[in-house]
Amino acid sequence: MEHDANRWADMEAMRRRLREKILNQAFQVAQTPVFKLVSGAMSRFYFNCKRVTLDPEGQVLIGHLVFDLVKDLGIQGIGGLTLGADPIANAVAYTSWLRGKPIQAFVVRKAQKGHGIPARLEGNVREGDRVVVVDDVITTGGSTLQAIRACKASGLQVLRAIVLVDRQEMHGRENILQEVDAVDALVLRDDIMALHEARQKAGYAS
């Protein structure tokens, strides 16, 4: 894409471009359930979102789209369970500085470290801070819930969760809503399936 600042002014255009990138770089689908998920379940669908969250253009898109959702919440931090949340939080922190409302990125470790200061969280956040938890994909919501609970145990106020892709299965969103008031997804599985099916039909037609 050309480096033109004006093309990032339209959030809906950015969402469309993000959906295209997820379809092209992160999404796989099969006729039978061949993909094993973290939960152990088998699925026809798979999202390898790190191919998008670690991509330069992907980080620009995600940074602006997530920042747009949190910019008026008065939060001090944004982060989640390593590794899936890290590039998302970093993209938002970088964007927040550029847009004049700095937000600290933080990392939630999968386990408390056994050396130095035994902290579960890393970053410039402290007890009482208002934060948003992010994740790349939710299925059951397990990794997002781990992060939310670790934040609360550290005295942070978790306002909401934001995910890149909601797989729309196994009650992931509903499970997370047991811990926070709102869950936002930049992209739904249905969005990607609709694009995939349209592309398949166009291919058959040609």
Side-chain angles (χ1 to χ4, degrees):
M1 296 182 69
E2 62 184 350
H3 296 282
D4 178 359
N6 291 329
R7 74 185 301 128
W8 308 123
D10 185 343
M11 289 294 151
E12 185 51 40
M14 294 177 74
R15 283 183 178 272
R16 289 195 298 270
R17 178 57 184 161
L18 181 61
R19 289 193 290 265
E20 290 174 2
K21 286 188 71 66
I22 290 172
L23 176 63
N24 294 336
Q25 295 178 276
F27 180 66
Q28 296 180 64
V29 61
Q31 294 300 315
T32 58
V34 298
F35 302 109
K36 188 173 183 178
L37 307 178
V38 173
S39 65
M42 301 298 292
S43 176
R44 292 179 54 230
F45 311 98
Y46 184 67
F47 290 90
N48 184 359
C49 286
K50 293 174 186 63
R51 293 180 177 176
V52 176
T53 62
L54 294 169
D55 173 85
E57 182 190 2
Q59 291 208 336
V60 170
L61 295 168
I62 291 165
H64 282 282
L65 288 168
V66 176
F67 178 77
D68 196 58
L69 292 174
V70 304
K71 67 181 187 296
D72 297 323
L73 297 180
I75 61 171
Q76 286 76 49
I78 190 161
L81 193 70
T82 192
L83 175 69
D86 298 346
I88 298 173
N90 292 340
V92 178
Y94 181 79
T95 302
S96 73
W97 176 263
L98 294 179
R99 293 178 61 176
K101 289 187 175 182
I103 299 169
Q104 295 287 336
F106 65 88
V107 173
V108 179
R109 294 177 179 272
K110 292 182 179 178
Q112 186 169 292
K113 67 180 182 178
H115 61 279
I117 299 173
R120 184 83 189 274
L121 272 64
E122 297 288 352
N124 294 314
V125 289
R126 57 188 179 182
E127 186 174 351
D129 280 354
R130 295 156 57 90
V131 303
V132 166
V133 165
V134 292
D135 211 339
D136 55 355
V137 182
I138 57 170
T139 305
T140 64
S143 61
T144 311
L145 287 168
Q146 282 187 58
I148 291 169
R149 289 164 183 161
C151 288
K152 289 182 176 181
S154 297
L156 302 178
Q157 302 178 56
V158 183
L159 301 193
R160 66 176 60 199
I162 298 175
V163 301
L164 178 57
V165 175
D166 182 353
R167 288 178 54 95
Q168 297 176 281
E169 58 187 345
M170 299 187 184
H171 306 292
R173 180 184 291 261
E174 292 81 3
N175 293 338
I176 297 168
L177 285 170
Q178 298 299 313
E179 294 282 348
V180 295
D181 292 335
V183 178
D184 296 305
L186 295 186
V187 176
L188 302 177
R189 186 194 69 187
D190 286 352
D191 298 332
I192 303 304
M193 280 303 302
L195 286 175
H196 172 72
E197 290 169 2
R199 183 172 293 181
Q200 292 290 102
K201 289 178 181 178
Y204 294 145
S206 63

